[in-house]
């Protein structure tokens, strides 16, 4: 028998201590590895969430800024449409008053408004009557639009190809250097047809304005006139002002902005002094001067690849950074937001230290428990456990471990099995609770501050739409206190004007749990505020709606700007009537209704008779007052459903709905004429105006918009031809007459080139002796296919087209040659020639007359120029000056058709005239009309008192001739003596005409 010595207590104690220390060390190492693994996993998850949060923040940030860019672009385009229509679409009128220029010796013209609202500048070399008009009209337009536009932009300007600049405010134009040429700037070519074929508004790159000494970016929009790029409008925005809409509200984040060319626009290192220094030196803001090379490379990759968004990491000064670079559409800008990764990992590092301490404490506790348990165990159970462990260590995988029990060793066996599971569950649960608590606290804190300090009004309601919360911005917007909103119904805050839509809003909320749109909120002062309102649901964990959040953005300024733009776009700024654009829209709508067969209307087209005379004699301001008074009378007299428009100048149009017969249209025409014929007091003058009205009926006259307008225009001109102050309905004959006028106009040009014209001469006879005293030259046209064309047809057309100047010069030259040939033959050589209005007003008339007299060698005393009295009644002083210039050439002057026009004896005595011609309209009814006889006798007596010679025309009977002779008018002409003759016929005419019984004096 072998005796085995049992181990001593000291040996058992030492073993338990060793085992305790060993197992404790194993637990500690395993726990540390598990903690490190879990913390690494948490770090990756945290960085992923940080990346996603930065991307979401950047997308929202860029989206809000993009809406601002779209809003600015929209306002600039609307303003451009107004400027193009008001300044470049209307008919040019070179009678605008002279602008007030600043006296200076430089080669540049500068004009500033008295209120400093705007200024204009251009080179003197480019100035013309057109730009005289543009100075005045643009000043008036800028007075209207600049108060609105300068709230949106640093300045707003118009730039033409001839370097004309109109800008508000006026500072820039006054500081611009003398040699500044605006159309050489890159902005002018940037919106030209080569770079901008779609003719859209374009955002320029950021540049330094040396005149304004600011970094700016511009919105430039082209203006085309007759399909030619002649001008642009521009709106400058200070870079610092635009960047103020990119705030960073997180202290851990930094922002930078670059443009598509790689120029740095914003960075924490860029202060005002740096901006100014680079601008003055003409240096670009290079990225490499301010940001580290790794970030420069990332930005370069984003620009090269043109990515909408790019998220990357980079290292700088030993720190790791996370950045997101996003593109801003429309501007070609890239906005970068970056932050240190260490700021996101600070909380995780603190948690890591806590976990390591916890694991060490847990291992020490386990070691003490093991030591006590082993110290108390029986050696047999220890041997069994050692044998089992030893057996398992030798590869016996089926070794049975001691069973679990309720004592310490049994519990220890179970504890080993459950330790890892419990530890993982403990760490996971602890980490999850800490994370959820931090996220919840941060989210609640951010949400509370964001709502309280939001620039948007916010309401929170329960499911029944009762208000439970209102933020300070909503109180500020409405003026009410918090008690007004608490427990009130959401729809009760909507203004009464919009209450009609409340049922629709409530229906959408009950069916879709969402509503968004523009509406008006009630204010404490009784007014209403325009807002963009959004009602969104708040859902619980199961997805059910338990409340609503309501946001209200103040859009009153946008609505007011839209109203002003619509007013400028569709209504006349002087009279308040609809303008041409709005009138064409209403006409298209009426035509569409008429096509359905259940709608008829009348179109009235008219202008004011003699408006130009009133405008010229009394001034443009009085003319404007007259137009305003006419507009007010039309608005007060016609129906509200009728569309009244001022199409330009003194042209008006009226759309009369529901007019199905010409009789009804006649009644309205009579009403308009009676309304306008009432005297109008303008300052110290009282005038009476009339209108020539053209009327066309739709859809009978035409089913096309442009054709209907053409018909109304033709009818108006026919009304004028009938003597003005009347109306005329369109008929197909007017179209034929218009086509004939067009034909004559085209043939008239060819006739001048082909010398198809000749002169006839009507003798002027002394009724006492029958002796021929002279001739009146009368133009005749023999067309190669149409034969003789009456002067009644072609003279008005030549006058209207301006061809009368060229034709009149030919008549003068031919008549003078005829007179010269008569003088050389020793015959009577007096020749009378009619001057047209265009000829008399032509600045080249005097040199032309002098040249003809010199070339033809005719005696000036033999030439008599005949002018109608209406030609002299416009600008009287200018007419008198022109008459004196003619008299200095030695030429005689006659007033033709005397008594039929606007006569003034006061002016007549100032005119240096020699002869009065009694119009044929007074002679033709002698002796049947006593009134004509009295008028004719009065004209002759007046001429004698003024020492003027008298000539009567249109004498066709012996009785007429005898009456004139009895009243001391001896020089006569007419068919009683001779019709107009060719030069050959004149040669065959006897010196004394024997066509009547001559009586001796």
């Amino acid at each position: 028998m072998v005796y085995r010595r049992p181990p001593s207590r000291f040996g058992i104690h030492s073993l338990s201590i060793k085992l305790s220390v060993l197992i404790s060390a194993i637990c500690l190492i395993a726990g540390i590895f598990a903690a490190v693994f879990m913390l690494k996993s948490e770090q990756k998850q945290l960085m992923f969430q940080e990346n996603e949060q930065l991307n979401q923040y950047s997308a929202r940030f860029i989206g809000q800024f993009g809406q601002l860019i779209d809003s600015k672009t929209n306002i600039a385009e609307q303003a451009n449409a107004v400027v193009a229509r008001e300044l470049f679409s209307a008919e040019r009128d070179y009678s605008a008053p002279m602008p007030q220029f600043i006296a200076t010796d430089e080669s540049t013209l500068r004009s500033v408004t008295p209120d400093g609202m705007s200024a204009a500048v251009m080179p003197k070399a480019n100035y013309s009557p057109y730009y005289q008009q543009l100075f005045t009209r643009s000043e008036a337009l800028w007075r209207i639009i600049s108060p609105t536009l300068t709230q949106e932009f640093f300045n707003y300007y118009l730039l033409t190809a001839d370097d004309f600049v109109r800008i508000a405010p006026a500072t820039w134009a006054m500081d611009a250097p003398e040699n500044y040429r605006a159309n050489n700037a890159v902005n002018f070519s940037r919106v030209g047809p080569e770079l901008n074929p779609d003719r859209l508004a374009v955002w320029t790159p950021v540049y330094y304005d040396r005149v304004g000494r600011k970094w700016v970016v511009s919105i430039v929009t082209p203006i085309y006139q007759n399909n030619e790029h002649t001008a642009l409008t521009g709106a400058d925005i200070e870079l610092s002002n635009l960047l103020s809409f990119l705030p960073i509200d997180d202290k851990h984040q930094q922002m930078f902005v670059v443009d598509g060319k790689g120029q740095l626009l914003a960075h924490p290192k860029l202060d005002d002094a740096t901006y100014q220094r680079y601008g003055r030196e003409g240096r670009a803001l290079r990225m490499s001067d301010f940001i580290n090379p790794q970030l420069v490379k990332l930005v370069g990759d984003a620009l090269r690849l043109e990515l909408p968004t790019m998220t990357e990491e980079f290292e700088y000064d030993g720190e790791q950074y996370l950045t997101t670079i996003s593109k801003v559409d429309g501007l070609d800008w890239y906005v970068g937001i970056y932050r240190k990764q260490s700021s996101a990992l600070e909380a995780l590092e603190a948690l890591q230290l806590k976990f390591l301490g916890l694991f060490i404490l847990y291992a020490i506790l386990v070691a003490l428990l093991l030591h006590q348990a082993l110290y108390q165990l029986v050696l047999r159970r220890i041997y069994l456990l050692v044998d089992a462990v030893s057996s398992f260590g030798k590869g016996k995988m089926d070794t049975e471990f001691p069973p679990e029990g309720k004592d310490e060793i049994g519990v220890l066996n179970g504890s080993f099995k459950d330790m890892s599971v419990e530890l993982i569950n403990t760490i996971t649960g602890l980490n999850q609770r800490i994370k959820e608590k931090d996220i919840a606290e941060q989210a609640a804190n951010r949400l509370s501050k964001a709502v309280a300090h939001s620039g948007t009004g916010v309401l929170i309601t329960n499911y029944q739409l009762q208000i439970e919360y209102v933020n300070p911005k909503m109180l500020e917007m409405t003026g009410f206190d918090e008690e007004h909103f608490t427990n009130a119904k959401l729809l009760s805050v909507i203004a009464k004007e919009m209450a009609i839509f409340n049922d629709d809003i409530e229906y959408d909320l009950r069916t879709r749990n969402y509503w968004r749109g523009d509406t008006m909120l009630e204010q404490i002062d009784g007014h209403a505020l325009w807002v963009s309102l959004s009602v969104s649901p708040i859902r619980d964990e199961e997805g059910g709606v338990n409340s609503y959040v309501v946001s209200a953005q103040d859009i009153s300024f946008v609505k007011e700007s839209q109203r002003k733009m619509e007013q400028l776009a569709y209504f006349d700024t002087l009279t308040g009537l609809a303008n041409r654009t709005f009138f064409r829209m209403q006409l298209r709508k009426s035509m569409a209704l008429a096509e359905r067969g259940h709608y008829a209307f009348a179109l009235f087209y008219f202008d004011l008779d003699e408006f130009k005379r009133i405008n010229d004699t009394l001034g443009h301001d009085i003319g404007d007052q007259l137009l305003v008074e006419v507009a007010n009378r039309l608005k007060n007299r016609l129906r509200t459903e009728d569309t009244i428009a001022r199409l330009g100048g003194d042209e008006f149009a009226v759309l009369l709905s529901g007019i199905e017969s010409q009789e009804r249209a006649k009644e309205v025409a009579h009403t308009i004429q009676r309304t306008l014929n009432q005297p109008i007091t303008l300052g110290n003058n009282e005038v009476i105006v009339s209108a020539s009205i053209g009327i066309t009926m739709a859809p009978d006259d035409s089913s096309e918009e442009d054709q209907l307008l053409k018909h109304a225009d033709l009818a108006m001109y026919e009304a004028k031809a009938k003597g003005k102050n009347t109306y005329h309905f369109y008929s197909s004959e007017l179209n034929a007459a218009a086509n004939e006028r067009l034909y004559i106009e085209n043939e008239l040009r060819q006739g001048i080139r082909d010398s198809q014209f000749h002169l006839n001469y009507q003798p002027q006879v002394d009724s006492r002796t029958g002796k021929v005293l002279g001739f009146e030259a009368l133009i005749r046209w023999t067309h190669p296919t149409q034969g003789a064309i009456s002067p009644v047809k072609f003279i008005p057309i030549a006058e209207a087209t301006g061809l009368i100047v060229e034709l009149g010069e030919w008549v003068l030259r031919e008549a003078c040659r005829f007179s010269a040939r008569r003088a050389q033959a020793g015959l009577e050589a007096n020749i009378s020639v009619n001057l047209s209005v265009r000829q008399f007003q032509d600045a080249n008339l005097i040199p032309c007359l002098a040249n003809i007299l010199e070339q033809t060698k005719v005696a000036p005393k033999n030439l008599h120029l005949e002018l109608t009295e209406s030609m002299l009644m416009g600008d009287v002083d200018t007419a008198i000056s022109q008459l004196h210039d003619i008299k200095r050439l030695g030429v005689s002057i006659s007033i033709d058709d005397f008594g039929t026009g606007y006569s003034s004896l006061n002016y007549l005595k100032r005119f240096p005239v020699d002869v009065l011609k009694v119009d044929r309209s007074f002679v033709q009814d002698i002796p049947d009309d006593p009134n004509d006889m009295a008028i004719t006798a009065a004209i002759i007596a007046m001429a004698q008192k003024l020492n003027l010679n008298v000539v009567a025309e249109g004498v066709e009977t012996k009785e007429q001739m005898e009456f004139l002779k009895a009243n001391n008018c001896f020089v006569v002409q007419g068919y009683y003596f001779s019709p107009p003759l060719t030069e050959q016929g004149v040669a065959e005419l006897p010196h004394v005409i024997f066509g009547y019984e001559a009586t001796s004096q």
Side-chain angles (χ1 to χ4, degrees), residues 475-726:
L475 301 179
E476 177 189 337
M477 290 165 59
T478 61
F480 292 109
D481 54 21
E482 188 173 354
E483 288 73 14
H484 174 79
F485 291 95
T486 304
N487 294 325
K489 282 289 188 178
L490 170 62
L491 299 182
S492 67
V493 305
I494 295 178
K496 297 181 180 62
E497 294 90 327
M498 308 297 289
I500 189 174
F501 300 106
N502 284 359
D503 292 341
D504 296 336
I505 298 174
E506 188 167 12
Y507 175 79
D508 284 351
L509 291 176
R510 295 308 182 196
T511 55
R512 299 189 303 163
N513 301 121
Y514 177 79
W515 186 85
R516 182 175 184 178
D518 294 346
T519 187
M520 302 172 76
L521 297 184
E522 197 76 37
Q523 290 183 303
I524 193 171
D525 56 4
H527 293 90
L529 177 71
W530 272 106
V531 297
S532 176
L533 194 71
S534 174
V535 184
S536 304
I538 301 176
R539 301 181 183 274
D540 55 24
E541 295 179 355
E542 288 75 23
V545 178
N546 55 22
S547 56
Y548 292 92
V549 59
V550 183
S551 63
Q553 183 71 40
D554 183 357
I555 59 171
S556 57
F557 180 78
V558 175
K559 290 290 184 181
E560 179 63 17
S561 296
Q562 290 176 350
R563 185 193 67 78
K564 290 181 179 179
M565 289 300 177
E566 289 176 358
Q567 184 71 19
L568 289 172
Y570 296 121
F571 293 92
D572 179 45
T573 55
L574 175 64
T575 63
L577 298 178
N579 63 10
R580 185 181 295 272
T581 301
F582 187 80
F583 177 77
R584 293 296 291 260
M585 290 169 55
Q586 294 301 106
L587 180 58
R588 281 193 288 272
K589 292 179 182 178
S590 298
M591 295 297 293
L593 291 173
E595 287 179 1
R596 301 174 186 173
H598 303 290
Y599 184 78
F601 66 92
L603 170 60
F604 282 32
Y605 197 97
F606 60 92
D607 63 10
L608 304 180
D609 301 329
E610 302 299 333
F611 175 75
K612 186 177 186 304
R613 176 177 59 81
I614 296 174
N615 218 21
D616 291 342
T617 56
L618 301 181
H620 291 281
D621 290 340
I622 296 297
D624 287 347
Q625 293 179 30
L626 175 60
L627 293 175
V628 172
E629 177 62 24
V630 169
N632 291 336
R633 290 187 178 187
L634 292 174
K635 286 187 286 188
N636 293 333
R637 197 66 185 86
L638 298 179
R639 302 172 299 180
T640 55
E641 60 265 30
D642 298 330
T643 300
I644 312 170
R646 179 190 176 210
L647 304 184
D650 62 328
E651 293 183 359
F652 295 85
V654 181
L655 279 178
L656 296 164
S657 59
I659 303 296
E660 299 181 351
S661 67
Q662 288 193 357
E663 292 301 320
R664 182 74 183 94
K666 289 179 181 178
E667 294 175 7
V668 179
H670 286 303
T671 299
I672 292 176
Q673 288 179 328
R674 287 194 301 270
T675 300
L676 297 182
N677 288 156
Q678 297 297 320
I680 299 175
T681 301
L682 301 173
N684 297 325
N685 302 282
E686 185 175 85
V687 299
I688 297 177
V689 296
S690 61
S692 300
I693 306 174
I695 307 174
T696 182
M697 308 294 293
D700 296 337
D701 289 342
S702 178
S703 59
E704 296 182 6
E705 172 189 343
D706 291 334
Q707 199 70 18
L708 202 64
L709 284 170
K710 176 185 175 183
H711 291 169
D713 193 35
L714 290 174
M716 181 189 73
Y717 279 102
E718 186 64 21
K720 283 187 175 294
K722 289 167 62 177
K724 304 180 181 179
N725 194 24
T726 185

Side-chain angles (χ1 to χ4, degrees), residues 866-991:
E866 297 186 3
L867 301 93
T868 61
E869 55 185 327
S870 59
M871 292 166 54
L872 308 174
M873 291 299 131
D875 188 345
V876 176
D877 293 334
T878 302
I880 292 174
S881 175
Q882 184 86 322
L883 291 174
H884 280 292
D885 290 340
I886 294 174
K887 290 291 292 181
R888 276 191 282 271
L889 295 175
V891 176
S892 176
I893 298 174
S894 302
I895 294 184
D896 194 11
D897 301 338
F898 185 80
T900 61
Y902 178 86
S903 302
S904 170
L905 297 181
N906 179 48
Y907 289 147
L908 182 60
K909 71 179 183 180
R910 297 171 57 194
F911 294 147
V913 298
D914 304 292
V915 179
L916 290 185
K917 293 192 72 174
V918 182
D919 186 67
R920 71 180 64 248
S921 63
F922 299 124
V923 176
Q924 65 185 3
D925 291 330
I926 295 174
D928 299 327
D929 190 336
N931 291 329
D932 282 348
M933 295 172 67
I935 292 172
T936 302
I939 293 174
I940 296 171
M942 180 190 67
Q944 290 175 342
K945 293 295 183 181
L946 294 174
N947 294 321
L948 300 177
N949 295 322
V950 184
V951 177
E953 59 183 358
V955 178
E956 298 181 357
T957 67
K958 180 179 180 180
E959 290 79 3
Q960 294 169 354
M961 184 269 295
E962 293 294 345
F963 173 82
L964 293 169
K965 187 165 58 173
N967 284 276
N968 297 323
C969 177
F970 305 115
V971 182
V972 293
Q973 68 182 72
Y975 275 76
Y976 180 69
F977 303 99
S978 172
L981 304 171
T982 63
E983 186 171 357
Q984 181 180 355
V986 170
E988 298 172 357
L989 188 73
H991 300 303

